[in-house]
């Protein structure tokens, strides 16, 4: 892998805090100066780079399921058990939008990659909201099931939505047009575009992973997983073959797939085994093939070149529930099932890219 350093990664602890309950989500603002975390108790905390915290949410006792920053980093949105979408205006230091939705939990949301557009699911309904203009721009029906996951294409011209029977992809220039359906056996639980927008991956309930090269059907179907595929991640750079790595988390294992140089061979896999309990989160370091994984046993593992175990940290007293790299890849933020939050710095000379 050209340009990838092989020196052992060095993570230096920067700060840590303890919130009142299970950390359900963590996120970085695009500029890398702010981060946020949410909990099962309804807390939403905004953190400076040095760990100074500001409380954003007043939904105490009602779990927050999803959290995210807008592309410009000027808004932070969250939603969950309170059946309400909330958006915080960073500059004004106040909530600028509240959208109640009866008694339906909001389990997923996603910001457009360049515009202040926020997509989220309410039951089987997909809603797209222009936060700056304070108006809804689309309300669509997935029909087959609740909306399970959302992923904007990197170009921002289409939106992929996971649910029963597969992934539906809507075009943003005509929301009312019939979406493209990528059928999967059972249900799609998690969808993600590769960074170059060439591939769309779907982690499925029936123990499979589907990878579609956009415009070149049919999709590849990867089988043999011991359980449902709960999450997947794409490397930002491509391999020498012109395709990125894709990693899939299932039970206590991770499988990394690489497209073969021989077109008819398809994708080749390698199973990464280290965690002793369920893998709760995986993420590739930006501009790198370094993969971070979080385990229910309390460990964070770093995999060099997406394959070789480089480091294993006993990060928390109990499970690591979520993790995320900073946009520059020089910091790693993780949350735990006992409410712990920790941030590490990655020394520039030890980062996974040149």
């Amino acid at each position: 892998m050209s340009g990838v350093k092989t020196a052992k990664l060095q993570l230096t602890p920067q700060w840590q805090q303890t919130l009142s309950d299970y950390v359900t989500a963590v996120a970085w603002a695009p500029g890398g100066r702010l981060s946020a975390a949410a909990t099962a108790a309804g807390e939403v905390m905004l953190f400076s780079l040095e760990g100074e915290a500001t409380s954003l949410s007043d939904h105490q006792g009602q779990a927050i399921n999803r959290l995210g920053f807008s592309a410009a980093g000027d808004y932070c949105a969250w939603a969950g058990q309170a059946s309400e979408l909330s958006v915080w205006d960073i500059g004004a230091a106040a909530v600028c939008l509240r959208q109640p939705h009866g008694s339906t939990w909001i389990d997923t949301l996603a910001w457009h990659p360049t515009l202040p557009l926020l997509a989220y699911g309410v039951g089987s309904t997909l809603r797209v909201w222009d936060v700056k203009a304070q108006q809804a721009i689309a309300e669509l029906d997935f029909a087959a099931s609740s909306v399970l996951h959302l992923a904007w294409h990197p170009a921002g011209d289409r939106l992929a939505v996971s649910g029963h029977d597969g992934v539906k992809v809507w075009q943003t220039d005509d929301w009312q047009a019939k979406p493209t359906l990528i059928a999967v056996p059972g249900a799609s639980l998690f969808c993600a575009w590769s960074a170059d927008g060439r591939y769309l991956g779907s982690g499925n309930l029936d123990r499979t992973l589907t990878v579609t090269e956009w415009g070149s059907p049919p999709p590849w179907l990867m089988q043999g997983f011991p359980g449902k595929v709960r999450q997947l991640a794409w490397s930002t750079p491509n391999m020498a073959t012109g395709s990125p790595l894709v990693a899939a988390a299932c039970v206590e294992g991770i499988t990394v797939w690489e497209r073969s140089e021989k077109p008819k061979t398809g994708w080749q896999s390698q199973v990464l085994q280290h965690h002793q309990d369920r893998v709760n989160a995986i993420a590739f370091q930006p501009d790198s093939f370094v993969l971070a994984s979080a385990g229910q046993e309390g460990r964070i593992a770093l995999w060099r070149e997406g394959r070789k175990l480089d480091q294993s940290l006993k990060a928390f007293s109990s499970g690591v529930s979520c993790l995320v790299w900073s946009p520059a890849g020089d910091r790693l933020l993780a949350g735990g099932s006992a409410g712990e939050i920790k941030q590490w710095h990655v020394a520039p000379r030890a980062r996974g890219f040149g």
Side-chain angles (χ1 to χ4, degrees), residues 117-142:
L117 304 182
L118 181 62
Y120 62 103
V122 182
S124 64
T125 302
L126 168 67
R127 299 174 185 269
V128 183
W129 191 270
D130 186 326
V131 174
K132 187 173 182 179
Q134 294 279 299
Q135 65 181 16
I137 62 172
E139 183 173 318
L140 309 166
D141 190 2
F142 192 89

Side-chain angles (χ1 to χ4, degrees), residues 124-326:
S124 64
T125 302
L126 168 67
R127 299 174 185 269
V128 183
W129 191 270
D130 186 326
V131 174
K132 187 173 182 179
Q134 294 279 299
Q135 65 181 16
I137 62 172
E139 183 173 318
L140 309 166
D141 190 2
F142 192 89
S145 74
S146 294
V147 172
L148 300 181
H149 195 249
L150 301 169
W152 290 93
H153 187 274
D157 60 350
R158 66 201 78 153
L159 177 64
V161 185
S162 288
H164 185 65
D165 289 338
V167 183
K168 293 182 180 181
V169 181
W170 272 273
Q171 297 290 140
T172 60
D173 59 356
D174 187 358
W175 289 107
Q176 300 309 314
K178 185 178 180 180
T180 300
L181 173 65
I182 300 173
V184 306
S188 169
L189 303 178
F190 189 101
C191 61
W193 296 94
S194 59
D196 59 5
R198 180 180 175 186
Y199 298 102
L200 176 61
S202 171
N204 305 321
L205 181 63
D206 75 329
R207 306 182 180 189
T208 63
L209 168 68
T210 305
V211 173
T212 302
E213 184 173 10
W214 194 253
S216 301
W220 291 277
L221 184 66
M222 287 75 155
Q223 300 175 302
F225 292 92
K228 60 186 178 182
V229 180
R230 302 175 61 250
Q231 193 182 61
L232 60 95
W234 293 93
S235 66
T236 305
N238 290 336
M239 303 286 290
T241 58
S243 297
L245 297 176
V246 59
C250 177
V251 196
E252 70 276 3
I254 304 163
T255 305
V256 176
W257 298 79
E258 177 183 353
R259 189 169 183 181
S260 173
E261 295 182 359
K262 301 177 180 179
K264 294 183 179 180
T265 305
W267 296 72
Q268 298 174 327
S269 66
Q270 179 175 339
V271 178
L272 310 182
Q273 294 181 322
H274 172 69
H275 291 287
Q276 302 302 308
D277 207 333
R278 184 181 68 247
V279 176
N280 289 326
I282 53 175
F284 277 100
Q285 184 185 35
D287 301 317
S288 164
F289 294 106
V290 172
L291 178 69
S293 58
Q296 186 58 31
E297 80 285 354
R299 289 193 171 275
I300 290 176
L302 299 178
W303 306 87
R304 191 182 352 156
E305 301 174 10
R307 292 181 177 84
K308 304 170 185 176
L309 182 64
D310 189 88
Q311 191 172 161
S312 179
L313 307 173
K314 179 60 177 177
F316 297 131
S317 58
S318 54
V320 186
S321 55
C322 47
L323 59 76
V324 64
W325 292 97
S326 65

Side-chain angles (χ1 to χ4, degrees), residues 58-59 78-86 98-102 104 106:
D58 56 5
H59 291 304
W78 64 88
Q81 184 183 3
S83 307
E84 181 177 86
L85 173 71
S86 299
R98 290 190 189 274
Q99 283 291 309
H101 292 285
T104 304
I106 301 175

